[in-house]
Amino acid sequence: DSLVLSAGLSGVTEPVDTTLAVNYFGSSELMEGLHGAMVGRKNPCIVCLVSTSCRFVANDDPLIEKLLEGDEEECMALIREKGHGSAYPYSKHALARLVRIKASEWASKGIRVTACVPGMTMTPMVESLMEDDSVREIMEAMQAPLGRKGTAEEMAGVIGFLCSDAASFISGTMIWVDGAQDARDNPGIY
């Protein structure tokens, strides 16, 4: 059985605390709350949709540590200080870290935890953001080396693979589905 955590408010049109609550705390609470029901199932897997934006937050950022500690009230105050647009990359970075932590913690229970890390993908959320001229300029500057945006079908294919028996030894891994954007920007990190 599989659990796919795909919550993703952009943080551009929503308040930062709502974005953080849905993207990180909602996903982490679902993961924590449902993992027990997965124990003993055939090839149990949790797949989190992260985002290439997670790389814009430092691993040692104090807010990431607070998110992982689960102090929602303090995190909401800290994210409001960071301001508009900050909640999306912070929530996705913390979720990526949580994938690694839970993959190790739950491996002995047979539960795999992985992540799909989409680059710019044409979804209703991205399409609505592209209507804003200032946001569109930033998003167009983030063009993938493959010269196009990804599709929801491409992401679904990777997620389907991660949930399948063919991926039964994959856990704790981030699969970057970004048209080589991360490879271009971080060639020395793999």
Side-chain angles (χ1 to χ4, degrees), residues 120 126 129-130 135-143:
M120 187 78 61
V126 169
L129 290 173
M130 295 292 278
V135 175
R136 183 176 55 253
E137 287 178 27
I138 294 167
M139 294 174 86
E140 287 175 352
M142 296 171 51
Q143 183 74 300

Side-chain angles (χ1 to χ4, degrees), residues 6-133:
S6 60
L9 297 177
S10 70
V12 174
T13 56
E14 303 84 13
V16 292
D17 50 350
T18 301
T19 302
L20 196 63
V22 170
N23 292 4
Y24 180 72
F25 286 107
S27 293
S28 65
E29 288 170 16
L30 273 170
M31 188 186 309
E32 191 69 44
L34 294 175
H35 90 278
M38 300 179 88
V39 174
R41 303 275 187 163
K42 182 182 183 290
N43 193 24
C45 179
I46 299 171
V47 179
C48 297
L49 265 72
V50 183
S51 165
T52 56
S53 70
C54 71
R55 62 198 173 111
F56 301 124
V57 177
N59 272 330
D60 61 351
D61 189 296
L63 178 52
I64 296 299
E65 295 306 319
K66 291 292 180 190
L67 285 162
L68 293 170
E69 291 169 10
D71 187 341
E72 193 166 349
E73 188 175 317
E74 185 174 356
C75 290
M76 293 306 178
L78 291 169
I79 202 67
R80 284 186 207 107
E81 290 174 13
K82 295 209 178 275
H84 185 72
S86 61
Y88 188 80
Y90 273 89
S91 65
K92 295 302 184 172
H93 184 105
L95 193 57
R97 291 270 302 275
L98 190 64
V99 163
R100 305 278 292 167
I101 292 165
K102 294 302 180 185
S104 176
E105 186 178 313
W106 294 341
S108 64
K109 298 176 182 181
I111 299 172
R112 297 182 305 108
V113 185
T114 64
C116 175
V117 188
M120 187 78 61
T121 305
M122 287 311 295
T123 62
M125 180 178 81
V126 169
E127 289 169 1
S128 70
L129 290 173
M130 295 292 278
E131 293 173 7
D132 181 322
D133 290 338

